[in-house]
Amino acid sequence: MSSHDEAAAVHHVHRDDVGARMGMWLFLFTEVLLFGGMFLVYAVYRYQNPDQFRAAALELNTGIGTLNTIILLTSSLTMALSIAAIQKGNRFLSVVMLDVTLLFALLFMVNKYFEWSTKFAHGIYPGSKELLGRPNGQILFYGLYYVMTGLHALHIIIGVVIILFMLVQVMKKKITSDNHVKLENAGLYWHLVDLIWIFLFPLFYLIQ
Amino acid sequence: MEHTSKQKHPGYLTYVFVWLALLAFTSITVTVAGVSLGKYTLFIALAIAAIKSALVINIFMHIKFEEKIFKVFLALSGMTLLIIFVLTFFDFLFR
């Protein structure tokens, strides 16, 4: 421990930042296994129905998928910048960056809304007549598409709530340059959501 | 190493450069998907996704600057996932 930390220990009787981050990472590993199981199902079914997966994937909007990829990558950048800012003691920049991150998260969900509602309008949703009339491979593709991108979108929503919570804490000076492990852990969660999208994007939108 | 419990984190510019690299890889993966490369298409897409993940995990998620035990845990969970995939496909392909 450095002398800097000992000075902080006067105010914080018991604090273990490394332990807090490790706890977050352990949670993230369970998330990786949750999505990993779904990717496994995807892998097996795609191996079984390569042509049907390709046919179904061609109907997805690659433009929206690419746009959402750029949005999420940029929101990861602003999250990282927010943490860097609070570490340097720049509370204003940290707050601004969190606001921008929230804005990008919202944009992502707006795109998702338009993407899904277009699919619904075409009658493509789980259990729809249009979809059930198609070959098995396409039903499986769209089932996985809705479950995996849906669970991912749920993570975005949870992320928004967490970031809002952190935003308030930064503004109230509960998160400071000296004590910011909470914001770091929120960042870890947000980056994981980005990480999962990095794999979802080519596997669903870029099949040729 | 230079850090104990206090991490040494990169400055703003490093994050911006990593972000630019991530965008570059995204444009590569979208472009490559438009070119017909047969069975290599999936392999290339996954390779690029892996490179992007490495950038996010190492720099954005600070794993590069963490203590060694974090890297051990990460490797362990990655290997677990890999083993699950390999074993499942062994079962599936040679059934």
Side-chain angles (χ1 to χ4, degrees), chain A residues 51-85:
Chain A
D51 298 329
Q52 294 307 328
F53 265 52
R54 189 179 306 123
L58 283 177
E59 283 177 64
L60 290 188
N61 190 333
T62 311
I64 282 196
T66 309
L67 187 62
N68 265 351
T69 303
I70 294 168
I71 287 172
L72 266 199
L73 288 175
T74 312
S75 79
S76 253
L77 168 71
T78 55
M79 190 73 205
L81 289 179
S82 170
I83 295 164

Side-chain angles (χ1 to χ4, degrees), chain B residues 27-88:
Chain B
S27 64
I28 291 172
T29 200
V30 172
T31 314
V32 165
V35 185
S36 184
L37 293 166
K39 58 183 175 179
Y40 296 111
T41 313
L42 178 65
F43 174 75
I44 292 170
L46 286 178
I48 292 175
I51 295 170
K52 286 166 78 179
S53 307
L55 280 173
V56 171
I57 291 170
N58 273 306
I59 311 297
F60 283 176
M61 297 174 96
H62 300 150
I63 273 293
K64 197 180 165 204
F65 318 100
E66 283 286 9
E67 287 173 25
K68 203 179 171 193
I69 186 69
F70 283 78
K71 292 161 204 181
V72 173
F73 273 22
L74 188 67
L76 219 64
S77 79
M79 289 307 286
T80 307
L81 202 60
L82 186 68
I83 288 168
I84 291 172
F85 266 78
V86 169
L87 285 183
T88 306

Side-chain angles (χ1 to χ4, degrees), chain A residues 150-187:
Chain A
L151 188 66
H152 178 266
L154 182 67
H155 277 76
I156 297 269
I157 295 168
I158 295 169
V160 165
V161 175
I162 292 171
I163 293 170
L164 268 175
F165 187 68
M166 293 304 152
L167 184 63
V168 172
Q169 298 234 335
V170 173
M171 290 199 293
K172 280 186 173 170
K173 298 185 187 173
K174 293 263 175 63
I175 294 173
T176 59
S177 65
D178 216 34
N179 186 359
H180 50 70
V181 72
K182 267 186 256 176
L183 185 62
E184 270 186 81
N185 281 349

Side-chain angles (χ1 to χ4, degrees), chain A residues 35-55:
Chain A
F35 277 96
M38 292 182 173
F39 279 115
L40 183 62
V41 174
Y42 172 94
V44 170
Y45 281 146
R46 177 163 171 182
Y47 187 84
Q48 274 183 325
N49 314 281
D51 298 329
Q52 294 307 328
F53 265 52
R54 189 179 306 123

